[in-house]
């Protein structure tokens, strides 16, 4: 019987130097743009996939404290005054 393989996370805790390098790279505009484009592409693919129902569930999820009136849906836009 082979011993079980340890579970690995996709982006596990990096050592401090690498973590600082990744954080610094993400702060620059040259990396931020492609990251935003990739996130938009993933969102479009998700919204047009068979899992689109889960996308609308996330869109309609309310975040905040209802007692304080701080529970707008994730897709909320400012209401006209």
């Amino acid at each position: 019987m082979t011993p079980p393989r340890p579970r690995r996370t996709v982006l596990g805790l990096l050592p401090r130097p690498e973590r600082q390098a990744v954080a610094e790279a993400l702060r620059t505009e040259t990396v931020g743009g492609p990251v935003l484009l990739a996130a938009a592409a993933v969102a479009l693919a998700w919204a047009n996939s068979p899992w689109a129902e889960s996308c609308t569930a996330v869109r309609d999820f309310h975040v905040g404290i209802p007692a304080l009136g701080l529970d707008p849906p994730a897709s909320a836009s400012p209401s006209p005054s």
Side-chain angles (χ1 to χ4, degrees):
M1 184 166 151
T2 61
R5 293 174 40 190
R7 288 186 60 187
R8 293 175 48 158
T9 58
V10 175
L11 293 174
L13 184 61
L14 297 173
R16 187 174 176 96
E18 283 89 11
R19 196 175 12 178
Q20 288 175 335
V22 169
E24 185 62 33
L26 288 174
R27 286 187 189 106
T28 64
E29 293 178 17
T30 56
V31 174
V35 169
L36 182 61
L37 286 172
V42 168
L44 282 170
W46 183 21
N48 292 304
S49 72
W51 303 290
E53 189 172 305
S54 67
C55 183
T56 56
V58 169
R59 183 195 67 199
D60 296 335
F61 183 73
H62 288 260
V63 180
I65 305 169
L68 299 176
L70 302 173
D71 62 339
S75 64
S77 59
S79 59
S81 332

